[in-house]
Amino acid sequence: MWTLPNLLTLSRIVAVPLLAALLWWPGWANGYLAGFVLYCLMGITDYFDGYLARAQGAVSKLGIFLDPIADKIMVAAVILLLVGTRDSQPAPIPGIHQIAALVILLREIAVSGLREFLAQLSVSVPVSKLAKWKTTLQLVALGGLILAGGLPKFPMLHDIGLVALWGAAILTLVTGWDYLRVGIKHMD
């Protein structure tokens, strides 16, 4: 149960409050830079916990349970903090970027609920390649937005982060619809 892969997963969950504290003040560039380093370390542990679990034959029920939760907690915390504090550059429509964040968060909740429902029916819903691309784009977007907070003299980072966030939101809608179509087939 307390294998290295599971400890790596737990470390991501434990690191979320520290990451949130570093991103709390939007004008604190050093906090954002430290947050970016921590965010990258969390991403590295995400890769290695899965890699080590498979390589060591240590895939566990605890790891299967905790890994997606750790990912969702991190993403939700970062999105909420960035939308609440970092979106300081003028947008064509005030608050427009919160829509992309909301789409991502709502899809994560809906798909988690759908997976739980389908698991009770012994129906597995594998992660699609498009969903993996969505996750990658989402993580790049959030990392870019964090880095933009640490390097305010490079506003292009913020713009790139926002474009990637909107790309992730669009893929979120597409993959969410794909999962919903699979789920509807198993509902009365």
Side-chain angles (χ1 to χ4, degrees), residues 174-185:
V174 172
T175 58
W177 175 248
D178 288 345
Y179 285 125
L180 184 60
R181 281 189 328 196
V182 169
I184 286 174
K185 293 177 185 176

Side-chain angles (χ1 to χ4, degrees), residues 5 46-60 67:
D46 186 23
Y47 171 78
F48 277 109
D49 66 10
Y51 173 79
L52 290 172
R54 288 183 297 277
Q56 297 174 350
V59 175
S60 68
D67 186 64

Side-chain angles (χ1 to χ4, degrees), residues 149-172:
L151 300 171
K153 293 183 180 180
F154 298 95
M156 181 182 270
L157 287 172
H158 188 255
D159 296 339
I160 291 169
L162 288 177
V163 168
L165 184 69
W166 278 99
I170 291 166
L171 289 179
T172 292

Side-chain angles (χ1 to χ4, degrees), residues 8-149:
L8 289 172
T9 301
L10 285 171
S11 75
R12 290 201 325 271
I13 294 171
V14 170
V16 168
L18 176 58
L19 180 60
L22 291 168
L23 302 179
W24 193 264
W25 295 278
W28 187 31
N30 288 335
Y32 270 75
L33 288 174
F36 178 74
V37 170
L38 180 58
Y39 179 81
C40 290
L41 288 173
M42 292 169 80
I44 290 167
T45 63
D46 186 23
Y47 171 78
F48 277 109
D49 66 10
Y51 173 79
L52 290 172
R54 288 183 297 277
Q56 297 174 350
V59 175
S60 68
K61 290 180 183 177
L62 179 64
I64 291 169
F65 169 71
L66 285 180
D67 186 64
I69 289 173
D71 295 342
K72 286 171 182 34
I73 289 171
M74 181 184 74
V75 167
V78 170
I79 283 179
L80 288 173
L81 284 161
L82 291 177
V83 164
T85 61
R86 177 66 186 123
D87 195 18
S88 59
Q89 293 185 353
I93 301 170
I96 189 77
H97 304 305
Q98 283 84 341
I99 294 172
L102 188 60
V103 164
I104 290 169
L105 290 175
L106 291 177
R107 183 261 192 204
E108 293 301 330
I109 293 167
V111 168
S112 293
L114 181 63
R115 283 183 183 277
E116 185 176 329
F117 169 76
L118 292 174
Q120 293 174 358
L121 301 175
S122 298
V123 175
S124 174
V125 183
V127 177
S128 69
K129 283 194 183 276
L130 191 59
K132 289 182 181 189
W133 278 103
K134 182 270 312 175
T135 300
T136 301
L137 192 56
Q138 177 179 286
L139 294 176
V140 167
L142 297 179
L145 290 169
I146 293 170
L147 186 58

